[in-house]
Amino acid sequence: MKHGKKYNDSLKVADRNQTYDVAEALDLCVQTAKAKFDETIEAHIRLGVDSRHADQQVRGAIVLPHGTGKSVRVLVFCKNDNVQIAKDAGAEYVGAEDMAERIQKEGWLDFDVVIATPDMMGIVGRLGRILGPRGLMPNPKTGTVTPDVARAVSEAKAGKIEYRLDKTNIIHCPIGKASFGAEKLTENLNTLMNALITAKPAAAKGKYVRSAVVSATMGPGVRINPAKYL
């Protein structure tokens, strides 16, 4: 694959064959973020589990101390008093059958997070084929199916991220923007890593954190020494 000049220049800054400590790796990520927009910094963590087994799943959500730097549009499925509560908390869209119909008939997907009260899951469940593949389906494990809509909306706005294994046992998560600087990005990454370690399945055997790589949107991957998280 042929890369552009900026990418190749970034390879001179960060050695892809070397592992760095966390702060240095994130500092290198910031240096390699040379695009005209504020690039997202992402973490890619390979875990020593097998996602094919139910007892080795790693999934959850956590609020990053410095957020993600992204403006989040929230849709809440609820009724009665919760409608005003959700709006007061900052949700852009609030409704029930009307919102479900809009998604089904119009293909409307102009939102980033979906939250639902438990009594709404009968309606939301019918949207599984649409929301599920896009990672938007509410789930109790990530706190997006809850009676406390005010808290859920506030956390989503504050920078709550979900983490979940992919088929290759890797977790991919945004941890902020290049403009945050290495110090804030380090705090965000450490918060994520602590959550992953806490979520370690009892059935996991051997080395748990196999590898960790961070990268800017348009930059090369920078390898982190995983020994810090053992």
Side-chain angles (χ1 to χ4, degrees):
M1 183 177 178
K2 188 175 181 180
H3 294 291
K5 182 176 182 298
K6 289 182 179 179
Y7 184 94
N8 290 326
D9 286 344
S10 295
L11 289 176
K12 299 174 184 177
V13 176
D15 186 344
R16 298 186 70 178
N17 297 313
Q18 182 178 338
T19 58
Y20 300 88
D21 65 32
V22 178
E24 186 178 7
L26 288 166
D27 184 52
L28 289 171
C29 272
V30 171
Q31 291 182 48
T32 60
K34 299 180 179 181
K36 293 181 180 180
F37 60 92
D38 192 5
E39 295 185 44
T40 297
I41 306 299
E42 293 191 347
H44 312 276
I45 301 102
R46 183 185 296 275
L47 299 179
V49 295
D50 189 340
S51 62
R52 293 174 298 178
H53 300 292
D55 62 352
Q56 295 189 44
Q57 290 296 320
V58 179
R59 182 178 186 180
I62 192 164
V63 178
L64 299 177
H66 301 289
T68 62
K70 179 182 178 182
S71 178
V72 178
R73 299 164 299 175
V74 178
L75 164 61
V76 179
F77 284 93
C78 62
K79 286 184 176 181
N80 303 324
D81 293 345
N82 280 320
V83 171
Q84 192 58 48
I85 291 172
K87 290 179 179 179
D88 290 344
E92 280 78 7
Y93 310 105
V94 184
E97 290 90 348
D98 56 331
M99 291 295 173
E101 187 174 334
R102 189 175 175 188
I103 292 169
Q104 288 178 309
K105 294 186 177 180
E106 300 176 22
W108 174 66
L109 290 166
D110 293 334
F111 44 83
D112 306 296
V113 176
V114 182
I115 295 164
T117 53
D119 60 315
M120 288 287 99
M121 289 310 293
I123 295 171
V124 178
R126 299 198 295 266
L127 304 174
R129 291 184 179 180
I130 301 171
L131 300 181
R134 295 169 174 81
L136 293 169
M137 193 67 182
N139 189 297
K141 292 182 178 179
T142 58
T144 47
V145 177
T146 174
D148 191 349
V149 293
R151 179 179 179 180
V153 172
S154 296
E155 288 182 344
K157 292 288 186 179
K160 186 175 186 178
I161 60 168
E162 295 185 15
Y163 55 84
R164 184 178 187 178
L165 288 172
D166 68 7
K167 292 181 180 179
T168 60
N169 306 315
I170 298 176
I171 283 176
H172 308 273
C173 279
I175 56 168
K177 297 287 187 178
S179 60
F180 283 17
E183 184 175 345
K184 289 183 178 179
L185 290 169
T186 297
E187 291 180 18
N188 277 357
L189 177 59
N190 285 339
T191 299
L192 170 62
M193 294 303 298
N194 289 338
L196 296 182
I197 291 167
T198 300
K200 179 181 178 180
K205 305 296 181 184
K207 190 176 181 182
Y208 182 53
V209 181
R210 298 289 177 87
S211 66
V213 176
V214 289
S215 64
T217 304
M218 306 296 288
V222 183
R223 295 170 63 197
I224 290 174
N225 183 355
K228 170 182 170 59
Y229 301 110
L230 299 180

